[in-house]
Amino acid sequence: MNFFEKITGSDMTKKMKSFEARASNLPPEYQAAWEEIKRNLWLHADFTGRNLMPILNSALELLEVTSADGQSVEEVLGNDIKGFCAALVGDEGAKNYRDKWREQLNKNVLKKLGGL
């Protein structure tokens, strides 16, 4: 990855387009699960989202393999896709970007108020 790709995020755009092309080959119920997985995983992204690329790739590979085996989405992911995504990123209590920003904002406000 060169400097221009890192600054503009074009490398991530290419990866996401390739993920979407692969996901379009999945059965409809798997495509719906993929959309829900993406929605839930982006909550745990850092500012750029680069930390999620390997996780998204692994989740998509899981969907591809299990759909080829003829398993249903419920057999693979269960009924709790949000819980599945939390397990992928670490833990149910994993901090997302909102938590990090809230914590930083609270620190800055406390600092401006003189440490009250």
Side-chain angles (χ1 to χ4, degrees):
M1 168 177 30
N2 64 34
F3 180 74
F4 180 75
E5 288 176 334
K6 189 170 187 172
I7 296 298
T8 62
S10 63
D11 60 320
M12 288 181 32
T13 302
K14 289 176 189 174
K15 283 184 185 179
M16 286 306 295
K17 284 182 181 181
S18 73
F19 291 161
E20 293 306 320
R22 289 169 48 197
S24 68
N25 296 325
L26 294 171
E29 69 174 355
Y30 277 87
Q31 289 180 15
W34 170 246
E35 291 300 321
E36 193 169 340
I37 287 170
K38 287 190 311 183
R39 243 189 334 270
N40 285 297
L41 283 179
W42 280 111
L43 295 175
H44 300 282
D46 62 4
F47 182 71
T48 64
R50 279 190 175 78
N51 64 323
L52 289 185
M53 291 298 122
I55 297 170
L56 287 168
N57 186 46
S58 297
L60 185 55
E61 284 178 6
L62 174 68
L63 294 177
E64 290 170 333
V65 169
T66 55
S67 71
D69 289 343
Q71 294 179 318
S72 71
V73 172
E74 289 78 24
E75 289 176 319
V76 178
L77 304 178
N79 293 328
D80 183 19
I81 293 181
K82 187 174 184 176
F84 171 79
C85 293
L88 279 178
V89 295
D91 196 5
E92 186 65 37
K95 287 186 178 183
N96 60 33
Y97 68 92
R98 289 184 202 133
D99 295 329
K100 293 174 186 174
W101 289 348
R102 185 179 302 119
E103 186 176 304
Q104 184 63 43
L105 177 64
N106 288 340
K107 284 180 183 177
N108 289 345
V109 168
L110 188 62
K111 189 176 177 182
K112 291 287 183 184
L113 293 175
L116 294 176

